[in-house]
Amino acid sequence: MKKTIMLISMMMIVFIFNGFTLFQNKDKKAILFVNFGTTYNDTRVATIDTLQKKIADTYKDYDVRLAYTSRQIIRKLSERDGIRIDTPEEALKKLKADGYGTVIVQATHIINGEEADYLKREVASLKDDFYVIKLGHPLLTHIKDYELTMKALQLQYSELKADEAVVLIGHGTHHPSTSAYAMIDYFFQDASQNVYFGTVEGFPSYDNVLTRLKKNGIRTVTLMPFLFVAGDHANNDIAGDEEDSWKSMLLKEGFNVNVYLHGLGENEAIQQIFIEHIEHAITNKEIDMKRKKAGYALGK
């Protein structure tokens, strides 16, 4: 009798501390599609909604759910449109409550910056709530990603003359991952393309890009957002009529300025890179560095 009571007690402890995973179904699978978000409905339809549908069409045995990371955008959409979008943490807790055992989290982050780090911590904090939970990579992660992104971006413009250039402008960050912008810039330099990368908040800055444009004798510039959606930054900081927008400042410097006001999420080749990152998360095992180093120590 004591053994039976002890066994039941142990089962209850496991049940409680394992986050009620006895109710999780390993074969009930979901993809949590995470975005910073946008309040611009037209760009949302062309980017977030389009890629969400493509993910659902590609992975029919997974249910696809949506989350936004920007609390400001979530609040504004709720107040303005009566639409409530979950944060990643809220969405994951709902997936747990609904009995999902396998979850793939894929965000539309461009670089492995602060937003990507925060999401990684959120996912890690809930890893014991699922049999399997994996996080897909941001757009620019592996060398192959840079190569594919360069090819995808080349679909957005025609052959450039010697005095013409494309300037792609990302958000930017003070996180060490800002080096990703310089790296993708170098890919284009190495391919002898008149394509430059700048950021709204970080490096390369407007001044960095301006110096290079003048040095290389560029007269006509086409501005493109290096952002998943053409939202607030694209419409105001890049293409706006305010004095401190990139368009206004370049016009003041005497350049001819064109604007390509479309987010990266509208580019089908960029969409495909994110699909491939989901596939990688599904099919590849995560590397346990502690176990790997232990193997090295043993000469394996």
Side-chain angles (χ1 to χ4, degrees):
M1 184 67 179
K2 288 183 178 181
K3 288 184 178 181
T4 302
I5 294 173
M6 185 177 295
L7 180 61
I8 293 172
S9 298
M10 290 177 66
M11 289 177 66
M12 289 178 66
I13 291 172
V14 170
F15 180 78
I16 293 171
F17 284 95
N18 203 31
F20 303 104
T21 54
L22 290 177
F23 287 136
Q24 306 299 322
N25 180 354
K26 187 176 183 180
D27 296 322
K28 189 174 182 181
K29 300 181 290 187
I31 294 172
L32 178 59
F33 180 45
V34 178
N35 301 268
F36 182 80
T38 182
T39 58
Y40 289 74
N41 292 333
D42 53 348
T43 192
R44 187 205 72 238
V45 171
T47 57
I48 295 172
D49 292 357
T50 298
L51 183 50
Q52 183 175 356
K53 183 178 185 304
K54 181 173 285 190
I55 293 170
D57 290 343
T58 304
Y59 297 100
K60 296 185 182 298
D61 53 342
Y62 285 78
D63 293 323
V64 180
R65 295 197 181 180
L66 178 68
Y68 282 1
T69 60
S70 172
R71 275 53 173 181
Q72 288 182 324
I73 290 174
I74 289 172
R75 185 183 69 249
K76 185 170 181 178
L77 288 176
S78 178
E79 294 172 351
R80 188 190 73 185
D81 303 331
I83 297 173
R84 181 62 172 86
I85 306 292
D86 289 331
T87 66
E89 183 179 13
E90 290 169 341
L92 287 170
K93 287 182 177 180
K94 286 182 180 180
L95 286 169
K96 173 190 171 183
D98 291 341
Y100 286 88
T102 298
V103 176
I104 305 297
V105 181
Q106 180 62 57
T108 53
H109 296 137
I110 306 301
I111 62 174
N112 288 271
E114 292 177 355
E115 287 282 335
D117 282 351
Y118 188 83
L119 179 61
K120 188 182 295 184
R121 291 194 295 270
E122 281 189 302
V123 170
S125 71
L126 299 171
K127 64 182 179 64
D128 292 334
D129 290 344
F130 304 93
Y131 284 103
V132 176
I133 183 167
K134 291 183 177 182
L135 179 62
H137 295 303
L139 179 69
L140 297 178
T141 301
H142 302 292
I143 297 298
K144 181 184 176 184
D145 296 332
Y146 288 82
E147 295 170 348
L148 292 174
T149 298
M150 183 174 75
K151 292 178 180 178
L153 293 174
Q154 287 171 339
L155 300 173
Q156 296 182 181
Y157 59 89
S158 304
E159 186 174 349
L160 299 168
K161 297 177 182 178
D163 64 347
E164 294 177 334
V166 167
V167 176
L168 286 127
I169 306 163
H171 185 280
T173 177
H174 298 292
H175 188 279
S177 61
T178 194
S179 58
Y181 297 109
M183 185 168 171
I184 186 69
D185 185 278
Y186 183 80
F187 267 81
F188 280 92
Q189 289 184 55
D190 193 49
S192 299
Q193 297 275 321
N194 279 355
V195 177
Y196 302 78
F197 282 79
T199 62
V200 175
E201 302 173 11
F203 180 87
S205 68
Y206 168 80
D207 289 337
N208 298 134
V209 175
L210 178 62
T211 298
R212 291 175 61 201
L213 291 173
K214 288 183 174 181
K215 179 181 177 181
N216 295 329
I218 301 300
R219 300 183 63 185
T220 299
V221 175
T222 298
L223 299 177
M224 293 184 181
F226 192 57
L227 305 158
F228 188 77
V229 300
D232 188 62
H233 282 302
N235 283 275
N236 297 314
D237 298 312
I238 297 174
D241 294 323
E242 296 81 2
E243 290 185 0
D244 59 349
S245 75
W246 281 60
K247 185 184 78 172
S248 295
M249 290 189 292
L250 287 172
L251 285 171
K252 189 175 180 179
E253 291 288 342
F255 291 93
N256 302 312
V257 181
N258 303 308
V259 176
Y260 177 91
L261 200 56
H262 299 275
L264 293 179
E266 295 186 41
N267 187 318
E268 292 185 6
I270 294 291
Q271 294 172 12
Q272 188 57 37
I273 296 173
F274 283 112
I275 294 291
E276 290 176 8
H277 284 191
I278 293 173
E279 185 65 25
H280 183 271
I282 292 172
T283 58
N284 285 266
K285 291 184 178 180
E286 294 179 347
I287 298 174
D288 187 333
M289 289 303 296
K290 184 177 181 180
R291 182 174 295 179
K292 191 174 182 179
K293 287 181 178 294
Y296 288 152
L298 296 172
K300 294 182 181 179

